[in-house]
């Protein structure tokens, strides 16, 4: 039997950024309260949460206080220290579970996990030093990308490598951090699929969206994506396979390269995902609510798409266009309440409804 | 020039019920914080607000503290004591303004205001005692409805009068409260229109919805409503006329009876309205965000309807159906986080998307 949290229960969220903020709002729609654990003051999620515990992730007492104040724990980012998880999951269920975190915290472990399942990824090799890198480049070929194995996001900790000279510089920039060398994939476009798995094992996926990145940061996600019916089904099957294998509970984002050879998995994220923000205007149940439903043991909701949507991220100075966007027809604005505009910082997004209806 | 509140500013909301809760969420979408003033502890709005000042409406110090903590003040209910308004609007802008409150706090004043504008209402007379009531019944005829002039909601403080005996009983039940006698209107159905007026005077209305009440409480609102194009335009014009006349800033709900003689105004509410909850799933900008945009001086958003929606209120024991509703296709659930289920209490609502798309 599945334990279902009653309305009024409190969901603990590790991380107080925009994803935590939108998870908190979704939790409120189902009658739940949230408690945010986040080291930063005045974080986006704290504006719409019931309580905010402000403490670093290595503060064992604060972590215990957090676990005691909540009924279930989830997170908005995957780089939660193992020491924090040790404390938390002894006290309250952490969903998605540790297997998902273990796999997604390290790019080498993630790619090995996917390959062992028989799924397609870019060719890759672990790189600890110059010898490893030279071997990897010989085996996989150039161009390629050198990435840190851990803690990368929005293109940070990544470098393109065209020549041995690039390789030398890129390795220096990593400052000894364990790395991964990935071969280039020749893809026509990138899509992502947001899948969800409930506590009873049921799986539901949102329609895949088509992504455009610039400078390593997602700029737009467009629905519907350019995919054949077979590719669409493949995306759903890939997502379901991975969710099942990890005995996953919650929403997972997965980026896929579309190639003539099939869909190649770029990366998976064990959380709600920027490329799923369009669901707020396109579905009866959006990715944030779907995640909350899963972690509290509710049945998954119906995420069938009922509108065409283009999501655009508002990054840094895009905020200068706010006055204009506020006047646009069929534009739904979502700002994150961040005090300072910085280059490359995600400040909000806008969902534009493009259906004819 | 219009003063526009910058993102990050704080909106004060008087009242911490479900309307305050959904206003708070909408404010967060535009990057604003909210401060809720509400006497009750653990109120629905406090779960998603930045701060909650818990104090009675006659606590002058708390009201001043509230006004100092916020940049603009709005409200989720119309029965704010005049003494509180005196304190607040000396310190910060209160939107919508006092004219709207003065008119809508008293059913006689409201109907007189509408009649003077040449708009159609039910025939009515002020009733202070049995003599007034007898005269009103003679003049207007029976059946009719006796209502308190102030503080009524969800059918509370109302009685149908068919005979002089009913009249006697109804008047006793009022316990001397000033009342209004209204003649019965023979209408085919009721619709409501949610209008908004910005700080610069621009007006925008949502598509009218068709309402069904039971036991004096709204049960469903269906979009589209059964209205001819001319009736639809009439509804918009009525709304715009009233908003302009009151130099209104914010969202106003207006209930209209559809009759062969035209649209007859049942009542107006100077706030977001239950019959506008469908906009959460049907429009790029919903009524809550539209209200926030108006009170902070932003341009109004595009509330064009892009989906057919039926909104159903979840009242009291309707919560027993939650498990079933959670599994329904194309159903978007909104619970208010109220701890106790009570008969006649609005616990949440569900927006069902009924477009074919």
């Amino acid at each position: 039997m599945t334990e279902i949290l009653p309305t009024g229960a409190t969901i603990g969220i590790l991380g107080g950024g925009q994803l935590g903020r939108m998870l908190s709002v979704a939790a409120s729609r189902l009658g739940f309260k949230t408690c945010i654990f986040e080291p930063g003051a005045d974080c986006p999620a704290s504006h719409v949460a019931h309580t905010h515990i402000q403490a670093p992730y290595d503060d064992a007492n604060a972590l215990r206080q957090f676990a005691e104040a909540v009924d279930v724990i989830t997170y908005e980012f995957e780089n939660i220290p193992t020491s924090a998880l040790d404390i938390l999951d002894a006290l309250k269920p952490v969903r998605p579970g540790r297997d998902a975190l273990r796999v997604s915290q390290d790019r080498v472990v993630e790619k090995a996990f996917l390959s062992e399942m028989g799924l397609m990824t870019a060719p890759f090799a672990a790189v600890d030093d110059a010898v490893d890198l030279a071997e990897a480049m010989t085996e996989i070929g150039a161009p390629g990308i050198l990435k840190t194995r851990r803690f990368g996001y929005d293109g940070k900790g990544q470098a393109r490598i065209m020549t041995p000279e690039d390789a030398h510089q890129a390795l220096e920039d990593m400052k000894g951090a364990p790395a991964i060398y990935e071969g280039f994939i020749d893809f026509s476009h990138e899509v992502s699929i947001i899948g969800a798995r409930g506590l009873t094992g049921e799986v539901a996926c949102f329609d895949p969206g088509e992504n455009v990145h610039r400078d390593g940061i997602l700029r737009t996600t467009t629905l519907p994506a350019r995919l054949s019916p077979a590719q669409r089904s493949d995306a759903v099957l890939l997502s379901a396979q991975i969710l099942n294998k990890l005995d996953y509970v919650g929403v997972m984002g997965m980026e896929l390269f579309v190639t003539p050879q099939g869909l190649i998995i770029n990366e998976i994220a064990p959380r709600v995902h920027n490329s799923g923000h369009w669901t707020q205007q396109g579905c009866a149940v959006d990715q944030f609510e779907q995640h909350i439903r899963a972690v509290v043991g509710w049945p998954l909701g119906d995420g069938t798409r009922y509108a065409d949507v283009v999501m655009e991220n508002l990054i840094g100075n895009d905020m200068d266009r706010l006055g204009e966007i506020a006047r646009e027809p069929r534009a739904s604005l979502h700002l994150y309440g961040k005090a300072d505009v910085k280059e490359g910082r995600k400040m909000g997004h806008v969902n534009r409804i493009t259906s004819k209806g």
Side-chain angles (χ1 to χ4, degrees), chain A:
Chain A
M1 272 301 290
T2 299
E3 155 226 12
I4 294 180
L5 282 190
T7 289
T10 299
I11 300 168
I13 300 175
L14 294 161
Q18 62 265 25
L19 300 180
R21 179 177 173 100
M22 294 184 277
L23 283 169
S24 191
V25 165
S28 83
R29 277 204 305 271
L30 299 183
F32 296 104
K33 293 176 188 164
T34 56
C35 175
I36 305 294
F37 191 101
E38 156 71 45
D42 192 36
C43 61
S46 71
H47 303 170
V48 286
H50 192 241
T51 44
H52 171 202
I53 294 177
Q54 192 192 337
Y57 291 109
D58 60 3
D59 182 335
N61 283 333
L63 288 166
R64 271 190 285 269
Q65 182 203 336
F66 170 71
E68 269 149 31
V70 304
D71 298 290
V72 67
I73 296 168
T74 188
Y75 43 87
E76 59 144 27
F77 71 116
E78 52 270 43
N79 294 313
I80 302 156
T82 305
S83 58
L85 287 170
D86 287 340
I87 293 170
L88 296 174
D89 76 0
L91 295 167
K92 288 291 157 63
V94 177
R95 295 173 185 154
R98 298 190 71 148
D99 228 20
L101 284 168
R102 186 185 54 77
V103 164
S104 58
Q105 282 183 346
D106 184 313
R107 292 180 196 278
V108 171
V109 176
E110 181 179 311
K111 285 213 160 42
F113 164 78
L114 297 169
S115 299
E116 278 159 27
M117 286 178 72
L119 305 178
M120 283 196 288
T121 68
F124 69 97
V127 170
D128 286 332
D129 53 32
V131 177
D132 288 348
L133 183 52
E135 275 180 18
M137 287 179 70
T138 307
E139 196 190 320
I140 294 167
I145 309 180
L146 191 70
K147 302 177 178 175
T148 52
R149 284 175 65 158
R150 296 173 64 99
F151 304 119
Y153 71 97
D154 285 351
K156 290 183 172 72
Q158 300 199 5
R160 285 193 183 206
I161 294 181
M162 311 296 283
T163 67
E165 290 72 44
D166 294 346
H168 180 74
Q169 184 59 49
L171 203 59
E172 283 226 323
D173 292 347
M174 299 281 168
K175 291 168 184 160
I180 182 173
Y181 182 75
E182 299 181 11
F184 247 33
I185 300 287
D186 186 20
F187 60 96
S188 57
H189 52 295
E190 188 202 286
V191 299
S192 61
I193 183 154
I194 311 296
R197 188 166 175 276
L199 207 48
T200 58
E202 57 171 338
V203 166
C205 292
F206 292 97
D207 199 12
E210 183 170 333
N211 299 332
V212 174
H213 291 80
R214 202 163 62 226
D215 304 327
I217 306 177
L218 182 68
R219 304 307 298 217
T220 61
T221 301
T222 299
L223 277 289
R226 288 171 298 162
L227 286 174
S228 69
Q231 287 171 324
R232 217 167 235 111
S233 301
D234 272 348
V236 170
L237 292 172
L238 283 176
S239 175
Q241 244 183 298
I242 296 168
L243 292 166
N244 270 331
K245 183 75 176 180
L246 293 169
D247 198 16
Y248 195 89
V249 177
V251 158
M252 170 182 279
M254 185 167 65
E255 293 177 355
L256 298 164
F257 296 131
V258 182
T259 78
Q261 292 74 45
L263 301 173
I264 295 180
I265 304 173
N266 179 32
E267 61 177 40
I268 61 177
R271 52 169 168 78
V272 289
H273 196 264
N274 194 166
S275 65
H277 291 0
W278 68 269
T279 58
Q280 293 172 315
Q281 263 60 48
C283 307
V285 170
D286 68 20
Q287 68 163 347
F288 302 100
E289 177 175 334
Q290 196 71 299
H291 185 76
I292 297 294
R293 281 173 173 249
V295 302
V296 300
W298 273 41
L300 296 181
D302 179 12
T304 308
R305 186 168 62 80
Y306 70 88
D308 294 346
V309 185
V310 179
M311 188 287 304
E312 184 198 0
N313 271 336
L314 302 178
I315 298 165
N317 291 335
D318 288 347
M319 290 293 276
D320 297 344
R321 291 190 283 121
L322 214 53
E324 198 182 302
I325 294 167
R327 281 179 174 82
E328 257 184 65
R330 296 183 153 227
S332 197
L333 194 57
H334 299 257
L335 299 180
Y336 306 150
K338 295 181 182 175
D340 302 316
V341 177
K342 286 182 199 158
E343 202 193 319
R345 192 175 202 199
K346 290 177 178 170
M347 303 301 297
H349 66 274
V350 52
N351 287 326
R352 295 188 172 92
I353 294 141
T354 56
S355 344
K356 288 193 197 73

